[in-house]
Amino acid sequence: MNWIQCLSKALGYIEKHLTDDIDINEVSGQAYTSSSHFQLVFHLVMGLTVGEYVRNRRLSLAAQDLLQPNSRIIDVAMRYQYDTQESFSKAFTRFHGVPPSKAQRGKVKLFHPLSINVTIQGGFDMSRTLIDAFYWNDIEGQN
C-alpha cells in the first residue's frame, strides 16, 4: 500500500471509532507504520495532529448530537470520551464559541471528515524575460 491509501485507511478507522477510546498504535497500525512516524506524516500531510483531528471531529459531532431533542450534555460528553461534563463544556466552548447549553443550529462549527484527493497538474510557466531582466540588471549594476 502507498501512503495515500494508508492515510485514507487510518482516517476511516478514526471516523469509525470517534465514540471509542482511540489508541494511536491502533491508528498507526492501519498505516502499517510506527506511531511516531505515522504522527509525523499525518501532521505534514493534513496540517494538524492526530489529536487535533480527533478532537475537532468529536466536538463537531457532539454539537450535532446536542441539537437533537432530549439530548443531555453529560451523555454527549461521555459518548465522545470526555471524563467530566466540565472538561467537555470547556473544550466545546473553546471550539464552538458558545457553551453546550447554548448550542443552536447555525451557531456551531462543523469540522467535516478529511479525505485525500490527489490532483497533480502542470507546473508554472517560467517567465524567462523576468529572469533575464533580473540577471542583466544585476550584471549592469556591478559595472
Side-chain angles (χ1 to χ4, degrees), residues 12 46 53 62 76-77 79 90 93 95 132 134:
M46 304 298 183
Y53 178 71
V76 173
R79 182 177 307 124
K90 187 175 181 179
T93 303
F95 183 78
D132 287 341
F134 176 77

Side-chain angles (χ1 to χ4, degrees), residues 101-121:
S101 59
K102 304 282 188 212
Q104 298 173 11
R105 197 168 304 282
K107 300 259 183 186
V108 293
K109 295 179 187 176
L110 294 180
F111 187 88
H112 300 285
L114 294 179
S115 63
I116 302 171
N117 300 312
V118 178
T119 303
I120 301 174
Q121 296 178 335

Side-chain angles (χ1 to χ4, degrees), residues 53-70:
Y53 178 71
V54 169
R55 183 174 38 258
N56 290 348
R57 288 293 297 138
R58 283 178 173 167
L59 289 169
S60 182
L61 293 174
Q64 291 175 342
D65 287 0
L66 286 172
L67 295 175
Q68 302 303 316
N70 301 322

Side-chain angles (χ1 to χ4, degrees), residues 47-90:
L48 65 164
T49 67
V50 175
E52 290 169 333
Y53 178 71
V54 169
R55 183 174 38 258
N56 290 348
R57 288 293 297 138
R58 283 178 173 167
L59 289 169
S60 182
L61 293 174
Q64 291 175 342
D65 287 0
L66 286 172
L67 295 175
Q68 302 303 316
N70 301 322
S71 65
R72 296 179 354 163
I73 296 172
I74 187 66
D75 294 337
V76 173
M78 295 298 138
R79 182 177 307 124
Y80 291 104
Q81 302 300 308
Y82 283 87
D83 294 330
T84 65
Q85 183 173 334
E86 292 77 23
S87 64
F88 172 72
S89 293
K90 187 175 181 179

